[in-house]
């Protein structure tokens, strides 16, 4: 007998998030997980010490306002504390934005392919998803996105560098786009991979928030800071918008351990950036190697590369990687490979050596 529950109708059209697969472990081969865009470097020792020190008494609730962390991060960014709000990772902050802006009759405009959560946000709220295809070189089609905005648009999502394809938005094109968006439409710029970006023309989102109050930044400690397992992300936005988001972000969602780790990481931001650029150098070497083999690799500005292939080719490639102990992410339209240690990158190039269609 099947039990029926009183569930929201919107769930019928909500796609489930499919997590990255763990790495297989063929006999005698070191396996590597390259499917979740995690930082492969060990945590900074001072951050590990902060985690240990903060974990002594889990009986107490964390600071719901993340006061010390908010103060330190605001000072680092050169903004007011009222501009900053924390949540349990970028995903929860995105959900908070959806709760604040979307409902039946509203729509959300976003690039596609991009972060898998974006269409889920619309479906969960009973709103219309308006995905806008990327350009031929896997970049945001900002003119088409601007044209997709209408009187019912409640939210616009941008992703720079874009996950899973890699390119970053350029400052001039983003500036021109924002000038076309109605001032009462919230635009969230997802900068989860910001620290890995080396494109000199990449958009300065923080600077643009000072000119466009409807632009909000989404950032995380999951990627370059290496704190994905602790779940902590934040937004930088107009204080009036931050106050509204406080109605939708779950209270006590950011643990004291996560706050302590992030605070120490903010204090050592220069070290974080150095490590991120080390990852970027490995990425650039991998891109060069793949292109030399004949692969059409888009501009890569995050901690992953994108192999645009057919779904049939992607399935074959995924199987080949798995047989060699590498977990990669198969997505519609291609394969995403997270940057890992050098031995893993060398193995990637061994598997792709035949080039496209091999």
């Amino acid at each position: 007998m099947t039990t029926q529950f009183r569930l929201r109708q919107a769930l019928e059209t909500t796609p489930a998030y499919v997590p990255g697969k763990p790495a297989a472990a063929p006999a005698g081969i070191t396996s590597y997980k390259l499917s979740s865009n995690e930082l492969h470097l060990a945590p900074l020792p001072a951050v590990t010490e902060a985690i240990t020190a903060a974990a002594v008494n889990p009986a107490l609730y964390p600071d719901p306002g993340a006061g010390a962390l908010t103060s330190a991060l605001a000072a680092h960014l050169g903004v007011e504390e009222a501009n900053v709000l924390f949540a349990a990772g970028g995903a929860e902050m995105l959900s908070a934005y959806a709760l604040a802006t979307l409902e039946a009759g509203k729509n959300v405009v976003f690039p596609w392919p991009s972060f898998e959560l974006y269409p889920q946000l619309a479906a969960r709220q009973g709103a219309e998803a308006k995905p806008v295809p990327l350009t031929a070189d896997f970049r945001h089609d900002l003119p088409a996105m601007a044209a997709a905005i209408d009187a019912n648009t409640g939210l616009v999502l941008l992703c720079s560098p874009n996950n899973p394809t890699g390119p970053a938005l350029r400052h001039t094109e983003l500036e021109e786009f924002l000038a076309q968006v109605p001032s009462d439409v919230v635009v969230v710029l997802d900068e989860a991979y910001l620290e890995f970006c080396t494109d000199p023309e990449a958009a300065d989102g923080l600077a643009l928030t000072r000119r466009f109050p409807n632009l909000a930044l989404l950032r995380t400690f999951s990627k370059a800071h290496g704190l994905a397992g602790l779940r902590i992300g934040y937004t930088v936005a107009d204080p009036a918008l931050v106050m509204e988001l406080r109605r939708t972000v779950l209270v006590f969602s950011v643990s004291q351990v996560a706050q302590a780790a992030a605070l120490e990481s903010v204090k050592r931001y220069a070290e974080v950036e150095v490590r991120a650029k080390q990852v970027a150098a490995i990425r650039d070497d991998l891109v060069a190697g793949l292109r030399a083999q004949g692969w059409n690799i888009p501009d890569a500005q995050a901690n992953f590369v994108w192999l645009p292939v057919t779904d049939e080719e992607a399935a074959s490639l995924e199987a080949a990687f798995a047989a060699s102990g590498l977990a990669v992410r198969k997505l519609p339209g291609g394969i995403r490979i997270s940057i890992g240690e050098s031995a893993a990158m060398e193995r990637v190039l061994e598997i792709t050596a035949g080039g496209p269609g091999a």
Side-chain angles (χ1 to χ4, degrees), residues 109-111 130 132-133 140-149 156-158 177:
V109 176
F110 55 88
K130 297 182 74 172
V132 178
H140 287 44
D141 188 341
L142 291 180
M145 291 187 70
I149 298 170
V156 175
L157 298 172
L158 307 172
F177 172 77

Side-chain angles (χ1 to χ4, degrees), residues 186-316:
V186 176
V187 179
V188 174
L189 176 60
D190 185 344
E191 296 184 316
Y193 301 94
L194 174 70
E195 291 86 356
F196 302 107
C197 184
T198 55
D199 182 354
E201 297 182 19
D204 184 343
L206 190 60
L208 289 172
T209 61
R210 299 184 177 103
R211 289 187 50 205
F212 299 95
N214 61 324
L215 174 65
L217 308 183
L218 178 75
R219 295 182 177 180
T220 183
F221 285 84
S222 292
K223 306 304 179 183
H225 293 265
L227 301 179
L230 293 183
R231 310 309 305 131
I232 181 164
Y234 63 96
T235 190
V236 180
D238 185 273
L241 182 55
V242 168
M243 285 300 296
E244 296 301 326
L245 290 171
R246 291 186 185 280
R247 304 173 189 267
T248 60
V249 169
L250 292 174
V251 67
F252 299 125
S253 66
V254 182
S255 73
Q256 200 63 39
V257 173
Q259 292 183 38
L263 176 58
E264 190 63 38
S265 201
V266 169
K267 293 176 181 177
R268 300 175 181 277
Y269 206 96
E271 295 176 61
V272 171
E273 289 187 312
V274 167
R275 285 153 54 96
K277 295 310 183 284
Q278 291 172 347
V279 172
I282 298 173
R283 173 201 70 206
D284 292 345
D285 287 344
L286 178 62
V287 169
L290 290 167
R291 286 176 175 166
Q293 294 174 349
W295 295 94
N296 176 29
I297 306 298
D299 183 27
Q301 292 296 328
N303 67 333
F304 54 81
V305 298
W306 178 245
L307 271 65
V309 293
T310 66
D311 290 346
E312 181 179 351
E313 292 169 329
S316 177

